[in-house]
């Protein structure tokens, strides 16, 4: 039973990673596609490739997710906790994808872990959640908005006398680089979250001690994320690329450059699992605000913020429900 549960958890974790890829593909490429810097297919191929590379650049975030959110429960019951957390995260991802809302896959996973742990009466590391989740969750969008606003203001001032057509052509080229940097940051951040959950399952099942990520876990998580990214997330891409604010190439470059910088800093310096969705969306709002505040469609932004706020508790509730449902299934009720 334990081996079967371990295999099931790994398969479901990689399925979550795949849904993360198509749910969050828009994070890296929506601005480049909307400004016509890249065609949709070329953007998806580039994003999938950079996601794959980014997943191999570190494991600090994976260790935070694996060891810093909940106390590792033991035995088959612990594997049910991890499985329920993944099912809750996947369900919330699919709900928000269907409605085209760019919510956070990262926070869905963290909410799932919290909800499943509480439902099973396991300990939650609230101090770690405050330091590594809540504070970065609040700070990263604010920093992304402010830095994007400042960078876009600097670009506008620097090129104020340049020919608009020439400027746009130059920034379309620059956007290829900034979109690649954004996709690399997405792979760096989001693949590690799945690595952390698989590692947690291996520790819970007694298949390894400590939270160092094994090489095959890195390869599997990187591949699943890249495949999911290539599958694309057109609904969310439309929201990020056009519905918040109409972007031109300089604005797209500024938003992607700032968002990727925030992703790298939090991953390498703080090992904090921040949301790529929150970061790029706030950066898009920041560059849009340089035109005028009314250029940002604040109604759409409000819907996105509502999804942000709801993600952790709603994914937690779904995960708790999944935990209780798993316990009434034949063969699992005695665990």
């Amino acid at each position: 039973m334990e081996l079967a549960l371990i295999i099931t958890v790994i398969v479901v974790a990689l399925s979550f990673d795949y849904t993360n890829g198509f749910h969050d593909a828009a994070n890296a490429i929506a601005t480049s596609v909307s400004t016509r810097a890249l065609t949709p297919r070329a953007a998806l191929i580039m994003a999938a490739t950079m996601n794959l590379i980014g997943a191999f650049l570190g494991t600090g975030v994976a260790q935070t997710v694996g060891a810093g959110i909940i106390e590792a429960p033991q035995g088959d019951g612990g594997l049910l906790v991890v499985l329920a957390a993944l099912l809750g995260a996947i369900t919330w991802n699919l709900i928000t994808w269907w409605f085209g809302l760019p919510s956070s896959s990262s926070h869905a996973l963290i909410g799932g872990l919290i909800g499943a742990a509480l439902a099973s009466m396991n300990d939650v590391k609230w101090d770690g959640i405050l330091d590594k989740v809540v504070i970065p969750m609040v700070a990263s969008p604010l920093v992304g908005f402010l830095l994007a606003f400042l960078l876009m203001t600097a670009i506008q001032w620097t090129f104020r006398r340049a020919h608009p057509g020439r400027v746009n052509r130059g920034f379309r080229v620059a956007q290829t680089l900034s979109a690649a940097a954004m996709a690399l940051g997405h792979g760096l951040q989001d693949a590690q979250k799945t690595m952390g959950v698989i590692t947690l399952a291996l520790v819970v099942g007694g298949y390894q001690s400590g939270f160092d990520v094994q090489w095959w876990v890195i390869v599997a998580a990187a591949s699943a994320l890249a495949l999911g990214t290539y599958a694309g997330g057109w609904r969310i891409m439309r929201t990020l690329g056009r519905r918040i604010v109409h972007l031109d190439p300089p604005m797209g470059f500024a938003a992607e450059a700032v968002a990727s910088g925030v992703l790298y800093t939090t991953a390498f310096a703080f090992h904090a699992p921040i949301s790529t969705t929150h970061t790029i969306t706030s950066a898009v709002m920041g560059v849009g605000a340089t035109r005028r505040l009314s250029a940002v469609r604040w109604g759409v932004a409000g819907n996105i913020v509502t999804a942000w706020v709801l993600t952790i508790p709603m994914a937690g509730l779904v995960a708790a429900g999944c935990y209780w449902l798993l316990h009434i299934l034949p063969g699992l009720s005695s665990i």
Side-chain angles (χ1 to χ4, degrees):
M1 175 64 75
E2 188 171 85
L3 179 59
L5 278 174
I6 281 281
I7 294 172
T8 301
V9 168
I10 292 173
V11 170
V12 174
L14 294 176
S15 299
F16 166 78
D17 207 20
Y18 182 86
T19 67
N20 187 344
F22 77 69
H23 188 276
D24 289 3
N27 296 339
I29 62 177
T31 55
S32 297
V33 172
S34 70
T35 61
R36 296 182 175 83
L38 293 169
T39 65
R41 189 57 56 192
L44 281 170
I45 294 172
M46 180 274 294
T49 302
M50 299 307 289
N51 272 189
L52 184 67
I53 295 170
F56 288 92
L57 297 184
T59 58
V61 173
Q63 293 181 14
T64 295
V65 172
I69 306 300
I70 64 173
E71 292 287 351
Q74 296 302 312
D76 291 349
L79 291 174
L80 284 187
V81 171
V82 180
L83 180 58
L86 288 165
L87 292 174
I90 290 172
T91 301
W92 185 249
N93 262 2
L94 292 174
I95 290 170
T96 52
W97 167 80
W98 178 257
F99 289 103
L101 293 174
S103 69
S104 169
S105 297
S106 308
H107 294 154
L109 180 58
I110 290 166
L113 286 169
I114 294 170
L118 291 175
S120 61
M121 307 300 288
N122 279 287
D123 291 334
V124 177
K125 296 183 177 180
W126 296 111
D127 288 343
I129 290 171
L130 177 64
D131 292 341
K132 296 293 187 179
V133 178
V134 176
I135 292 175
M137 180 177 72
V138 174
S140 57
L142 295 176
V143 171
F145 182 95
L146 179 61
L147 291 181
F149 181 88
L150 294 175
L151 178 58
M152 191 62 215
T153 300
I155 289 173
Q156 289 173 335
W157 187 86
T158 302
F159 295 97
R160 65 191 184 279
R161 293 190 178 91
H163 187 275
R166 192 174 298 115
V167 170
N168 283 338
R169 284 194 296 274
F171 274 102
R172 280 197 180 95
V173 175
Q175 259 200 285
T176 304
L177 299 177
S178 62
M182 183 69 200
L184 191 74
H186 179 232
L188 172 67
Q189 274 278 347
D190 283 42
Q192 288 195 55
K193 292 149 193 171
T194 300
M195 296 177 204
V197 173
I198 294 175
T199 301
L200 174 62
L202 293 172
V203 171
V204 168
Y207 285 84
Q208 77 173 65
S209 59
F211 287 89
D212 292 335
V213 183
Q214 298 185 44
W215 69 268
W216 66 267
V217 175
I218 298 175
V219 172
S223 301
L225 184 69
L227 288 172
T229 298
Y230 185 71
W234 304 106
R235 292 172 184 266
I236 295 170
M237 192 185 304
R238 187 167 57 250
T239 298
L240 273 180
R242 293 193 180 277
R243 288 181 61 198
I244 297 174
V245 62
H246 183 72
L247 297 172
D248 59 23
M251 295 170 73
F253 169 80
E256 290 170 341
V258 166
S260 58
V262 173
L263 291 175
Y264 298 148
T265 302
T266 51
F268 289 125
F270 304 109
H271 298 166
I274 70 164
S275 166
T276 53
T277 307
H278 292 195
T279 306
I280 186 61
T281 306
S282 62
V284 168
M285 293 179 190
V287 298
T290 59
R291 284 180 171 172
R292 61 187 185 282
L293 289 178
S294 60
V296 179
R297 296 184 176 94
W298 296 106
V300 175
N303 292 338
I304 293 170
V305 171
T306 300
W308 291 356
V309 173
L310 289 177
T311 291
I312 289 180
M314 290 304 296
L317 283 173
V318 176
C322 290
Y323 179 80
W324 292 322
L325 286 174
L326 287 171
H327 270 283
I328 66 175
L329 292 176
L332 299 179
S333 57
S334 60
I335 294 178

